[in-house]
Short mmCIF file of all heavy atoms in Angstrom, two decimals:
data_model
loop_
_atom_site.label_atom_id
_atom_site.label_comp_id
_atom_site.label_asym_id
_atom_site.label_seq_id
_atom_site.Cartn_x
_atom_site.Cartn_y
_atom_site.Cartn_z
N LYS A 65 11.27 15.29 -4.62
CA LYS A 65 10.71 14.01 -5.05
C LYS A 65 9.25 14.22 -5.43
O LYS A 65 8.44 14.64 -4.60
CB LYS A 65 10.82 12.96 -3.94
CG LYS A 65 10.40 11.57 -4.40
CD LYS A 65 10.73 10.52 -3.36
CE LYS A 65 10.41 9.12 -3.88
NZ LYS A 65 10.78 8.07 -2.90
N PRO A 66 8.90 13.96 -6.68
CA PRO A 66 7.51 14.19 -7.12
C PRO A 66 6.54 13.24 -6.44
O PRO A 66 6.93 12.21 -5.88
CB PRO A 66 7.58 13.95 -8.63
CG PRO A 66 8.76 13.07 -8.82
CD PRO A 66 9.74 13.43 -7.75
N ALA A 67 5.26 13.59 -6.53
CA ALA A 67 4.21 12.76 -5.93
C ALA A 67 4.15 11.40 -6.63
O ALA A 67 4.38 11.28 -7.83
CB ALA A 67 2.87 13.46 -6.03
N LYS A 68 3.85 10.38 -5.84
CA LYS A 68 3.73 9.03 -6.38
C LYS A 68 2.60 8.32 -5.65
O LYS A 68 2.68 8.07 -4.45
CB LYS A 68 5.04 8.25 -6.23
CG LYS A 68 4.97 6.85 -6.84
CD LYS A 68 6.30 6.13 -6.66
CE LYS A 68 6.23 4.73 -7.27
NZ LYS A 68 7.50 3.98 -7.09
N GLY A 69 1.54 8.02 -6.39
CA GLY A 69 0.39 7.38 -5.77
C GLY A 69 -0.23 8.29 -4.73
O GLY A 69 -0.56 9.45 -5.00
N SER A 70 -0.38 7.77 -3.51
CA SER A 70 -0.97 8.56 -2.43
C SER A 70 0.05 9.32 -1.61
O SER A 70 -0.29 9.97 -0.63
CB SER A 70 -1.78 7.64 -1.51
OG SER A 70 -0.94 6.64 -0.95
N ILE A 71 1.34 9.21 -1.98
CA ILE A 71 2.39 9.93 -1.26
C ILE A 71 2.62 11.26 -1.95
O ILE A 71 2.95 11.30 -3.14
CB ILE A 71 3.69 9.11 -1.23
CG1 ILE A 71 3.45 7.78 -0.53
CG2 ILE A 71 4.79 9.88 -0.52
CD1 ILE A 71 4.64 6.86 -0.56
N PRO A 72 2.44 12.38 -1.26
CA PRO A 72 2.56 13.69 -1.91
C PRO A 72 4.00 14.02 -2.26
O PRO A 72 4.95 13.38 -1.77
CB PRO A 72 2.02 14.65 -0.85
CG PRO A 72 2.28 13.95 0.46
CD PRO A 72 2.12 12.48 0.17
N ALA A 73 4.17 15.01 -3.12
CA ALA A 73 5.51 15.50 -3.43
C ALA A 73 6.14 16.05 -2.16
O ALA A 73 5.48 16.69 -1.34
CB ALA A 73 5.42 16.59 -4.49
N HIS A 74 7.44 15.80 -2.00
CA HIS A 74 8.11 16.22 -0.78
C HIS A 74 9.61 16.30 -1.02
O HIS A 74 10.09 16.11 -2.14
CB HIS A 74 7.80 15.27 0.37
CG HIS A 74 8.23 13.85 0.13
ND1 HIS A 74 7.57 12.99 -0.72
CD2 HIS A 74 9.29 13.14 0.61
CE1 HIS A 74 8.17 11.81 -0.73
NE2 HIS A 74 9.23 11.88 0.05
N ILE A 75 10.35 16.59 0.04
CA ILE A 75 11.81 16.66 -0.01
C ILE A 75 12.37 15.38 0.59
O ILE A 75 11.91 14.92 1.64
CB ILE A 75 12.32 17.89 0.77
CG1 ILE A 75 11.74 19.17 0.19
CG2 ILE A 75 13.85 17.96 0.74
CD1 ILE A 75 12.00 20.40 1.05
N VAL A 76 13.38 14.80 -0.06
CA VAL A 76 13.93 13.54 0.41
C VAL A 76 15.45 13.61 0.38
O VAL A 76 16.05 14.38 -0.39
CB VAL A 76 13.43 12.36 -0.47
CG1 VAL A 76 13.97 12.48 -1.88
CG2 VAL A 76 13.83 11.01 0.13
N GLY A 77 16.07 12.83 1.22
CA GLY A 77 17.54 12.71 1.22
C GLY A 77 17.94 11.35 1.74
O GLY A 77 17.25 10.74 2.57
N VAL A 78 19.04 10.83 1.23
CA VAL A 78 19.60 9.53 1.67
C VAL A 78 21.09 9.72 1.89
O VAL A 78 21.78 10.28 1.03
CB VAL A 78 19.36 8.42 0.64
CG1 VAL A 78 19.94 7.10 1.14
CG2 VAL A 78 17.88 8.26 0.34
N THR A 79 21.58 9.27 3.03
CA THR A 79 23.01 9.38 3.35
C THR A 79 23.52 8.03 3.84
O THR A 79 22.97 7.46 4.79
CB THR A 79 23.25 10.44 4.44
OG1 THR A 79 22.84 11.72 3.95
CG2 THR A 79 24.73 10.50 4.82
N LYS A 80 24.55 7.52 3.20
CA LYS A 80 25.22 6.32 3.68
C LYS A 80 26.26 6.74 4.71
O LYS A 80 27.21 7.46 4.39
CB LYS A 80 25.90 5.59 2.52
CG LYS A 80 24.92 4.97 1.52
CD LYS A 80 25.66 4.20 0.43
CE LYS A 80 24.69 3.56 -0.55
NZ LYS A 80 25.40 2.84 -1.63
N PHE A 81 26.07 6.30 5.94
CA PHE A 81 26.96 6.71 7.02
C PHE A 81 28.04 5.67 7.31
O PHE A 81 28.98 5.94 8.08
CB PHE A 81 26.18 7.02 8.30
CG PHE A 81 25.28 5.90 8.76
CD1 PHE A 81 25.76 4.86 9.51
CD2 PHE A 81 23.93 5.90 8.42
CE1 PHE A 81 24.94 3.83 9.94
CE2 PHE A 81 23.09 4.88 8.84
CZ PHE A 81 23.60 3.84 9.60
N GLY A 82 27.94 4.49 6.72
CA GLY A 82 29.00 3.50 6.87
C GLY A 82 29.25 3.10 8.31
O GLY A 82 28.32 2.76 9.05
N ASP A 83 30.51 3.17 8.71
CA ASP A 83 30.90 2.74 10.06
C ASP A 83 30.76 3.84 11.10
O ASP A 83 30.92 3.56 12.29
CB ASP A 83 32.36 2.26 10.05
CG ASP A 83 32.54 1.01 9.22
OD1 ASP A 83 31.67 0.13 9.29
OD2 ASP A 83 33.54 0.91 8.49
N ASN A 84 30.50 5.06 10.68
CA ASN A 84 30.43 6.17 11.63
C ASN A 84 28.98 6.46 11.96
O ASN A 84 28.30 7.23 11.27
CB ASN A 84 31.11 7.42 11.05
CG ASN A 84 31.31 8.49 12.11
OD1 ASN A 84 30.96 8.29 13.28
ND2 ASN A 84 31.87 9.61 11.72
#
Side-chain angles (χ1 to χ4, degrees):
K65 186 171 185 178
K68 183 180 180 181
S70 60
I71 300 175
H74 60 285
I75 301 170
V76 66
V78 180
T79 298
K80 292 183 179 179
F81 54 84
D83 294 320
N84 192 1

